[in-house]
Amino acid sequence: MLRKLAFVVAGVALLAGLGWHFVTHWTPSRTAFPTQGIDVSQEQGAIDWKAARAAGVDFAYIRASQGSDMRDENFAANWSESAAADVKRGAYHVFNLCKPGREQATNFIALVPREAEALPHALDLEFDGNCAARPPRETVLKELSTFIQMTEAHSEKPMILYITREFDDLYRIGETIDRPLWLRRSGLEPAYGGRPWVMWQANPKRHVDGIEGEVDWDVVRPQ
């Protein structure tokens, strides 16, 4: 009886291990989505960008700032080292619903270099890690408009909007602000935002050589 129980436990553990390996290594098909990459912040710690590039990271979105005063401690290192590893990169800002758009844009622009070869700036719109307030839609759209106008003048490229389903359900950003969408859904293509996505955050638990722990894995819709 004990031998049979041990066999069952071992089998369950093996299946769990195989399942976890699949989750942490799964990516959408390279045939369907040839260009794939990551988004990172200081939460990933120091990154070996050459190892990540060799592991299939074609591009990276790197957090620069959040709100009106927070700046990512690893942005400068990630920005320069990713370029040295031949990883195409862009910067993103995490929007704070409780701070004016002008102050947030000033914080972002002060940190991010203006480089013609950089990817378009991205704006992260989600409730995770945000303030508790939920301002009226008209107020949010006004502050977002200010932020986008200022940062697009800096980059001279249309901004990409990273929007979670919950955020879009409340504020309907996708139907109002006509910018490329970067949407999130683990394992399956997202179907919100009011129009086709340009980027898809497909796996938030990917393991990549050169990065400790988990990292978000993203793909670009082919043109």
Side-chain angles (χ1 to χ4, degrees):
M1 182 65 180
L2 290 178
R3 176 179 290 183
K4 182 181 292 186
L5 179 61
F7 180 78
V8 170
V9 170
V12 170
L14 176 60
L15 289 174
L18 290 173
W20 182 244
H21 183 272
F22 175 80
V23 168
T24 57
H25 290 78
W26 178 84
T27 65
S29 163
R30 281 275 181 180
T31 301
F33 305 105
T35 304
Q36 306 198 13
I38 56 177
D39 59 273
V40 300
S41 69
Q42 65 191 38
E43 302 302 321
Q44 275 70 47
I47 295 174
D48 183 338
W49 284 99
K50 291 183 178 179
R53 181 70 183 96
V57 174
D58 303 316
F59 70 91
Y61 265 92
I62 301 168
R63 187 178 70 174
S65 54
Q66 181 169 343
S68 59
D69 54 7
M70 182 274 182
R71 298 183 178 183
D72 194 289
E73 296 176 359
N74 288 3
F75 175 74
N78 283 332
W79 190 256
S80 61
E81 292 171 13
S82 58
D86 197 31
V87 174
K88 296 179 180 179
R89 77 279 196 264
Y92 77 91
H93 173 86
V94 181
F95 196 82
N96 188 313
L97 289 168
C98 296
K99 300 294 183 179
R102 181 172 296 277
E103 291 182 6
Q104 297 191 60
T106 299
N107 184 34
F108 180 74
I109 291 169
L111 186 61
V112 180
R114 177 182 290 176
E115 298 180 3
E117 69 274 13
L119 299 173
H121 298 331
L123 180 58
D124 184 329
L125 302 173
E126 60 181 302
F127 294 134
D128 295 344
N130 215 309
C131 64
R134 298 293 179 260
R137 182 172 184 266
E138 295 74 15
T139 300
V140 172
L141 291 175
K142 179 182 177 182
E143 298 302 331
L144 287 177
S145 178
T146 298
F147 182 94
I148 291 170
Q149 288 176 13
M150 291 178 64
T151 52
E152 286 184 344
H154 175 262
S155 68
E156 298 182 337
K157 300 172 184 176
M159 173 158 277
I160 295 175
L161 302 181
Y162 172 89
I163 313 175
T164 63
R165 176 180 288 277
E166 296 79 12
F167 198 98
D168 201 55
D169 283 346
L170 181 59
Y171 288 116
R172 307 190 311 280
I173 301 299
E175 72 180 42
T176 306
I177 301 179
D178 186 14
R179 294 295 187 278
L181 297 182
W182 175 8
L183 305 180
R184 176 176 74 183
R185 189 181 183 190
S186 298
L188 297 172
E189 292 188 39
Y192 61 95
R195 60 182 182 277
W197 53 267
V198 170
M199 287 176 55
W200 165 28
Q201 189 181 86
N203 186 354
K205 297 184 177 296
R206 184 82 159 85
H207 284 188
V208 176
D209 291 346
I211 301 176
E212 289 290 332
E214 300 168 349
V215 66
D216 295 323
W217 191 263
D218 306 280
V219 304
V220 175
R221 183 188 294 276
Q223 297 295 318

